[in-house]
Amino acid sequence: MLKNEINLTLSSLMKNKKAFKKFYKTGYFSYSKDKPFEGAVAIVNDKAIVSFLQDVDDDSKVIATVAFQDNTTIVIQLNGEEFLRIQFGNLPCRMSSSLESVISDISSVRRHCAEAEERLTSSNPNFIKSIFSKNTPSSDRKLSKEKVRFLLQTTLDKLQETRNLNNHNQVSPKVETTGFDTNITSNIRPSINDKAPEI
């Protein structure tokens, strides 16, 4: 259910030109408030796009994604005590497969989205008007519109791949982190000092 909803959110963001333009200018897009879900999408430090979607009545039911410029994508699902983290691409470090680390990573995604929203709402009153004025020079931004679209599409593609994987694997709190690189699957054994890279 959450996976379908986040797919719809990211797809609509890409298809709606006005929404995409605002997202590109502000680095923030929030999920529709009239549904039983809440979530957001944010550009972080002009090097990654993060998103999350959760049940408004139960914050332990959530899905989060991180798409880096280097084509590494992470999808995290949490449903109470059950979780799944899937990595596509290569990160420079291992990621722990504990429930605590998954909750921490989801909190990090939420924090980045909240910070992007705060920057937007705390801007001067004329900021919204300026969003739709002349374009920002490309030299001022590390991510081009094409790159932002690419990262959003990559996230959608990886969400689809996780759906296919879920049909073969049942989500379990004992699942080890699985890395994917050109469809090669390998188990990564967590260590105490494993940390996800900072965004």
Side-chain angles (χ1 to χ4, degrees):
M1 181 74 143
L2 286 175
K3 194 171 287 183
N4 289 338
E5 288 296 326
I6 201 167
N7 266 294
L8 288 172
T9 301
L10 296 175
S11 295
S12 66
L13 176 57
M14 289 182 65
K15 291 175 184 174
N16 184 320
K17 290 181 179 179
K18 186 176 179 181
F20 179 81
K21 182 177 181 180
K22 183 177 178 182
F23 173 65
Y24 182 72
K25 292 280 190 178
T26 64
Y28 179 78
F29 176 83
S30 64
Y31 192 71
S32 175
K33 303 291 185 189
D34 61 348
K35 299 207 176 182
F37 306 100
E38 65 179 356
V41 186
I43 299 173
V44 182
N45 298 334
D46 288 323
K47 68 177 182 179
I49 292 181
V50 298
S51 67
F52 82 95
L53 186 70
Q54 72 182 43
D55 187 316
V56 293
D57 297 321
D58 186 353
D59 64 1
S60 73
K61 294 180 179 177
V62 61
I63 185 167
T65 66
V66 183
F68 293 95
Q69 279 199 74
D70 68 356
N71 298 325
T72 299
T73 305
I74 302 167
V75 178
I76 306 167
Q77 291 174 263
L78 179 65
N79 186 3
E81 295 290 311
E82 297 180 339
F83 67 87
L84 177 68
R85 178 198 280 124
I86 300 176
Q87 172 191 324
F88 299 89
N90 290 316
L91 287 175
C93 60
R94 297 178 185 180
M95 297 179 68
S96 172
S97 61
S98 69
L99 176 61
E100 292 76 17
S101 69
V102 165
I103 291 171
S104 175
D105 289 344
I106 289 172
S107 295
S108 178
V109 169
R110 285 186 179 128
R111 179 176 48 82
H112 284 301
C113 288
E115 288 171 357
E117 182 181 24
E118 178 64 25
R119 282 192 300 272
L120 178 62
T121 57
S122 66
S123 298
N124 65 57
N126 297 323
F127 182 68
I128 298 298
K129 184 178 179 182
S130 70
I131 291 170
F132 297 101
S133 63
K134 60 186 179 180
N135 293 331
T136 304
S138 58
S139 60
D140 294 343
R141 180 175 285 276
K142 294 178 184 176
L143 290 180
S144 65
K145 285 184 181 179
E146 292 73 23
K147 189 64 174 180
V148 170
R149 280 191 187 280
F150 175 79
L151 290 175
L152 289 170
Q153 185 59 55
T154 298
T155 302
L156 285 167
D157 293 344
K158 299 313 179 188
L159 283 166
Q160 180 59 44
E161 288 188 46
T162 62
R163 178 177 292 137
N164 296 338
L165 288 167
N166 282 348
N167 291 337
H168 295 45
N169 301 311
Q170 188 170 8
V171 175
S172 165
K174 295 174 185 166
V175 166
E176 289 205 12
T177 305
T178 306
F180 293 91
D181 184 18
T182 61
N183 296 326
I184 298 172
T185 305
S186 62
N187 287 329
I188 299 173
R189 300 198 180 277
S191 68
I192 294 172
N193 295 323
D194 287 341
K195 290 185 178 179
E198 287 296 320
I199 300 174

